Amino acid sequence: MNSPKTNRTAHVYKWQIPIDVGVALRAKRISCREGLYIELRSEDRCGWGEISPLPGFSAESLEEAQDALLCWTKLWLSGEEELPKLPSAAFGISCALAELNGTLPMKADYRTVPLGGCETEKLVDKLAGAKGEKTAKVKVGFSGAANDGITVDTVLHAVSDVRLRLDANRSWTLSQALDFAQNIRPHYRERIAFIEEPCQSREESRIFARQTGIAIAWDESLRESDFTFDSSDIAKAVVIKPTLTGSLEKIKSQAEAARRLGMTAVISSSLESSLGLTQLARIAAWLTPNTIPGLDTLNLMRYQQIRPWPQSTLELVPAESLQRLI
């Protein structure tokens, strides 16, 4: 779609990527990832953005995000630039604008944190052969708190120099979370970098941290209206998921607020495509340069789109092969 008045051009694409094994999102399995891309052009400049709400986590549906994106695109072509309110749309559009304006740095952090689940063998083998800093992420909350504790203890025992990031997605009551910790030997707990939102409420998570000595991180809490950054907070880290958060300005604000309080800020994926992941790698290098981002999700996809992830052997699908809406 062209706008002669402002010398602007925009295209919106819709896509689907099959996922090799059904991924569980809050007890619901999905077999494909769906989303939208926006391509903005002005003069000889170009910017891309990905808009892909995550089912079960995003407040908005893909249909709502699409409506907001198409509406915004028409306004942008007439000269307006105010972002939509929906987080996924605001994030993708702000990335496209930042590329167009040259304000999203090109330097990227393509390091990844291997992602593991209840089966530990492959993760342990991968970590045992890794060089340099060893950090891995383990999803917990699926196989019973006690079993999850045994899994984590097994990994920490098998790989003596690994640090684990754990993600519970508010799966447990305080009692269940304490059962989890009970199965991790106390001298291993300091190698848990953090566990994201172990309990169903923030206060229970804080009690868990005090009683077990296991560091906690905020994830879902960052997106709640009553959340504030507080110097007295016991949490050691925040996990920022841009697709669920909103504009680059909001992401930058959260990362800077965490840094001022001495908290670790981690940029993490929401199952974006290769295009979105490469932009998250750039955002991580820009806003959290000393922290490995959580972007190890491309291996769940059947192929890449538009832009490749370095050293990935997955087929790359060009824009011309996608469904163009405008």
Side-chain angles (χ1 to χ4, degrees):
M1 184 181 290
N2 295 312
S3 175
K5 182 179 177 182
T6 57
N7 200 25
R8 293 177 169 183
T9 302
H11 295 306
V12 172
Y13 302 86
K14 193 170 186 177
W15 53 266
Q16 276 191 347
I17 302 177
I19 296 177
D20 280 332
V21 292
V23 174
L25 298 176
R26 287 194 171 153
K28 180 182 179 182
R29 291 197 170 271
I30 62 171
S31 58
C32 71
R33 191 72 172 97
E34 300 178 282
L36 304 147
Y37 297 129
I38 185 162
E39 176 192 14
L40 304 177
R41 291 186 178 272
S42 180
E43 303 294 343
D44 59 346
R45 296 168 294 145
C46 177
W48 284 83
E50 175 175 331
I51 298 90
S52 53
L54 185 62
F57 289 83
S58 290
E60 69 276 15
S61 66
L62 180 61
E63 291 73 21
E64 290 169 331
Q66 179 175 312
D67 289 344
L69 177 61
L70 294 175
C71 180
W72 180 89
T73 303
K74 291 177 183 178
L75 292 172
W76 182 78
L77 289 169
S78 67
E80 298 185 33
E81 292 200 9
E82 184 177 351
L83 294 175
K85 302 297 183 187
L86 300 183
S88 61
F91 171 60
I93 291 169
S94 66
C95 284
L97 289 171
E99 286 195 348
L100 188 69
N101 299 327
T103 56
L104 180 60
M106 290 301 299
K107 183 180 178 182
D109 188 344
Y110 291 116
R111 296 176 297 168
T112 60
V113 175
L115 180 62
C118 56
E119 293 182 5
T120 60
E121 236 177 84
K122 288 183 180 178
L123 179 61
V124 167
D125 288 346
K126 188 172 185 178
L127 290 169
K131 297 179 180 179
E133 182 179 350
K134 293 182 182 180
T135 303
K137 181 172 182 176
V138 176
K139 287 277 192 179
V140 294
F142 293 107
S143 58
N147 288 336
D148 283 332
I150 293 169
T151 295
V152 169
D153 185 82
T154 300
V155 175
L156 291 169
H157 178 73
V159 189
S160 61
D161 54 348
V162 71
R163 284 179 62 79
L164 293 183
R165 298 173 182 175
L166 310 177
D167 188 3
N169 287 133
R170 296 181 171 178
S171 298
W172 300 321
T173 63
L174 177 58
S175 175
Q176 289 170 327
L178 294 174
D179 284 344
F180 161 81
Q182 195 79 27
N183 285 281
I184 302 173
R185 281 166 273 195
H187 59 285
Y188 287 165
R189 295 178 187 179
E190 64 183 21
R191 287 197 285 123
I192 297 175
F194 55 76
I195 178 169
E196 300 173 34
E197 308 260 3
C199 300
Q200 293 163 2
S201 74
R202 263 178 258 159
E203 189 50 41
E204 285 182 327
S205 290
R206 293 185 181 106
I207 294 170
F208 165 84
R210 293 188 189 101
Q211 291 191 12
T212 64
I214 296 175
I216 60 170
W218 300 134
D219 175 0
E220 289 93 341
S221 292
L222 290 180
R223 301 182 291 277
E224 294 177 336
S225 59
D226 64 342
F227 179 82
T228 57
F229 285 90
D230 188 337
S231 59
S232 65
D233 201 331
I234 195 172
K236 301 298 183 185
V238 294
V239 177
I240 302 171
K241 295 177 176 171
T243 286
L244 308 182
T245 300
S247 69
L248 282 175
E249 182 180 357
K250 186 171 183 179
I251 294 157
K252 183 180 179 183
S253 174
Q254 289 188 344
E256 290 177 345
R259 185 168 57 248
R260 285 194 296 269
L261 295 179
M263 302 170 76
T264 299
V266 180
I267 300 297
S268 184
S269 78
S270 300
L271 287 178
E272 289 85 0
S273 72
S274 61
L275 184 146
L277 287 173
T278 61
Q279 290 183 324
L280 291 176
R282 291 162 65 186
I283 293 166
W286 172 36
L287 299 179
T288 60
N290 300 316
T291 304
I292 303 175
L295 307 179
D296 189 34
T297 54
L298 185 59
N299 62 324
L300 301 173
M301 307 283 179
R302 193 76 59 83
Y303 46 78
Q304 305 184 83
Q305 291 182 157
I306 314 294
R307 289 181 190 161
W309 184 268
Q311 300 181 336
S312 173
T313 59
L314 293 175
E315 176 191 358
L316 181 67
V317 175
E320 299 76 47
S321 299
L322 305 178
Q323 178 188 0
R324 202 171 96 181
L325 301 183
I326 58 174

